[in-house]
Amino acid sequence: MRPLPYLAAFLLALPAAAQTAPPVATSQPAKADPAFTERANQLPGALTGKVAYDGYFAPSFKAAVPREKWAMVAAQFAAAGVTGIERIEQKTPWSATVHVGLGEAVATMNLAVDPAPPHQVTGLLVTGSQLRDGGKTPATPQGALDAIKALRGSAGFAISKLGAGAPQLIQGYNADKPYAIGSAFKLVILAELVRETNAGARKWDDLVTLDGSALPGGGYTMKPRGTQVSLRELATQMISISDNSATDILLKTLGREKVEAMMPVLGIADPARNRPFLSTLEMFKLKGVAGLAERYLARDEAGRRKLLDGEIAGVPNILINATSFNTKTPKLIDTFEWFESPNDLVRVLDWLRRNTEGPAGADARAVLSKNPGLGADAKARWQWVGYKGGSEPGVMNMSYLLQAKGGDWYVVTASWNDPAKEVEQGHFAALIARAAELVP
């Protein structure tokens, strides 16, 4: 985790709300307007914080991606090592697919620029990443799985077919080993919301009134007390862009104990390890405020709940050592995180599949598929794609719920933890994309 919303992986898209639909392209090859080219050339600097946020992005983009959120995104790209633009595929005079070098990987992004002066960026969406050529890309899906097994630290994966009964494992490695999963924990909160809406206890358009409580960074952090927001919007922001403020509002609204009660229902083998079920702000305080972690660990579950409701709740956000989260060094990932095994995540996604069937499940599936975590070509292989990932230094998870064109369902999920060193996110994402080709 990081103290502000972040790209859970380079495949995790920036908000679709920050995109502006480009004009319909003609049959003629598109030629970039010179103003678009200027903005495209500035993109590497914007990605690393060297180009001013206010001047580069349009108001519509800044409304969806606040300055503090972008600062964390830029920190991740800077840490990844942006090497420059490698190729631009122009769609219209004001939009293009841009391929940006990230060390050993290349990220693919959709870039849209406002045709009206001052020609600021209205849309930026990360749609995929892949390893470079030169022998680094495994020639086969099995080769990708072998490469995952050989990663430093520890990695595990599960590729499973879903049906009427229990999931059927196609390929797995350390599939029952719990890993830190970063923001993939938010699937449990989504599942509790699905349970309550299915039961009629809540509706997707029910409004939550913000009470002014402290929140982690995100789209709702600076919203005034009394602001109303729908459960649908909160869930969409939580899953599609991993908005931490939306996550904590939902967790508080649904209730920590109810979310905890969902873990065994979902099939998480060791729910006690995730109790109390921490909010993102609580996690940031435990990792970023001196002395809290030690006092928390010294207590039993009841004592930890008391500490969360008392001292930890009272710690102001300003005391969180934010700079400690902006390094590449893993921080307490074996102790303070959310933990699930690959098979746990298979069961979680299978529960979501089974409980969102039919017209009544359309709302939940729209939330889960808002950010498919795949580029257009890879997504085209599937009838439907749901995705959630998570990361922090030393941690990465990618989890896909996939429906094949023939109707069969699959889960592809993998985690990589290294408590000693930051994991290579672009490399891992490319391996998972290749491994997913094992699925028929």
Side-chain angles (χ1 to χ4, degrees):
M1 291 296 296
R2 297 188 185 275
L4 299 170
Y6 55 93
L7 277 162
F10 297 123
L11 293 181
L12 185 61
L14 288 169
Q19 294 181 285
T20 297
V24 176
T26 68
S27 59
Q28 299 298 318
K31 182 178 180 180
D33 187 276
F36 176 90
T37 300
E38 181 178 359
R39 289 300 187 193
N41 289 337
Q42 293 171 340
L43 180 58
L47 291 173
T48 55
K50 296 176 182 178
V51 171
Y53 168 88
D54 284 330
Y56 192 71
F57 293 110
S60 59
F61 186 95
K62 290 187 281 191
V65 187
R67 181 189 299 274
E68 64 271 18
K69 179 182 294 186
W70 180 255
M72 184 54 62
V73 172
Q76 284 212 351
F77 275 112
V82 175
T83 57
I85 293 175
E86 304 201 353
R87 189 168 81 257
I88 297 178
E89 299 167 9
Q90 207 69 36
K91 298 179 180 177
T92 75
W94 298 101
S95 65
T97 298
V98 183
H99 301 267
V100 178
L102 298 173
E104 67 175 3
V106 178
T108 304
M109 308 180 191
N110 291 337
L111 178 69
V113 173
D114 189 350
H119 305 302
Q120 293 173 312
V121 169
T122 56
L124 180 62
L125 184 72
V126 181
T127 60
S129 74
Q130 63 182 20
L131 291 172
R132 297 181 185 278
D133 293 333
K136 292 185 178 179
T137 303
T140 65
Q142 186 59 51
L145 295 182
D146 292 340
I148 294 171
K149 295 176 184 178
L151 292 170
R152 56 180 164 77
S154 180
F157 60 81
I159 300 175
S160 296
K161 185 176 182 180
L162 311 180
Q168 300 300 306
L169 189 66
I170 297 172
Q171 286 262 20
Y173 179 72
N174 288 337
D176 287 316
K177 180 177 179 178
Y179 286 92
I181 59 170
S183 283
F185 85 93
K186 296 168 185 178
L187 290 168
V188 180
I189 299 176
L190 177 64
E192 171 57 19
L193 179 57
V194 169
R195 186 195 68 80
E196 294 192 27
T197 54
N198 283 354
R202 298 183 189 272
K203 295 182 176 63
W204 285 95
D205 291 320
D206 286 349
L207 296 176
V208 177
T209 301
L210 305 190
D211 61 7
S213 298
L215 292 168
Y220 306 94
T221 307
M222 304 304 294
K223 297 289 186 183
R225 180 188 180 97
T227 298
Q228 291 191 312
V229 58
S230 70
L231 293 174
R232 182 194 311 278
E233 179 181 326
L234 291 169
T236 299
Q237 296 300 93
M238 175 181 72
I239 297 298
S240 67
I241 65 170
S242 220
D243 188 299
N244 290 332
S245 61
T247 300
D248 284 9
I249 294 166
L250 267 179
L251 179 60
K252 182 178 180 180
T253 300
L254 300 174
R256 192 196 308 270
E257 289 76 15
K258 286 185 177 180
V259 172
E260 290 172 346
M262 275 302 296
M263 289 191 286
V265 173
L266 295 170
I268 295 174
D270 187 11
R273 189 169 184 182
N274 295 312
R275 295 196 310 258
F277 196 92
L278 297 173
S279 70
T280 57
L281 184 56
E282 288 166 343
M283 184 72 76
F284 298 146
K285 289 180 178 181
L286 286 166
K287 291 195 176 192
V289 178
L292 279 186
E294 292 78 8
R295 291 198 293 280
Y296 185 85
L297 288 174
R299 302 191 179 197
D300 60 13
E301 184 177 317
R304 292 176 180 182
R305 291 183 189 278
K306 186 175 180 180
L307 192 66
L308 289 174
D309 293 337
E311 180 183 352
I312 293 176
V315 172
N317 289 11
I318 196 171
L319 294 183
I320 299 173
N321 180 10
T323 60
S324 68
F325 294 94
N326 295 331
T327 70
K328 302 179 186 179
T329 306
K331 188 169 187 177
L332 302 172
I333 68 168
D334 290 336
T335 307
F336 291 108
E337 247 282 356
W338 298 271
F339 298 94
E340 294 180 33
S341 69
N343 276 338
D344 285 337
L345 282 160
V346 169
R347 291 186 287 266
V348 169
L349 288 168
D350 188 34
W351 188 96
L352 284 167
R353 174 191 68 92
R354 289 184 284 104
N355 286 274
T356 57
E357 293 179 339
D363 297 289
R365 289 198 179 176
V367 168
L368 196 55
S369 62
K370 181 77 171 181
N371 167 22
L374 291 174
D377 291 343
K379 183 175 181 292
R381 291 186 56 216
W382 304 99
Q383 179 173 319
W384 187 90
V385 178
Y387 172 76
K388 187 73 189 84
S391 74
E392 68 163 299
V395 172
M396 188 170 179
N397 170 266
M398 301 181 71
S399 295
Y400 293 93
L401 176 60
L402 304 163
Q403 186 179 29
K405 294 289 181 70
D408 290 336
W409 286 89
Y410 300 87
V411 170
V412 176
T413 180
S415 293
W416 181 14
N417 290 180
D418 188 342
K421 188 178 180 181
E422 168 68 307
V423 297
E424 298 158 5
Q425 296 186 359
H427 178 64
F428 191 63
L431 291 176
I432 303 310
R434 177 58 57 87
E437 295 175 15
L438 275 171
V439 178

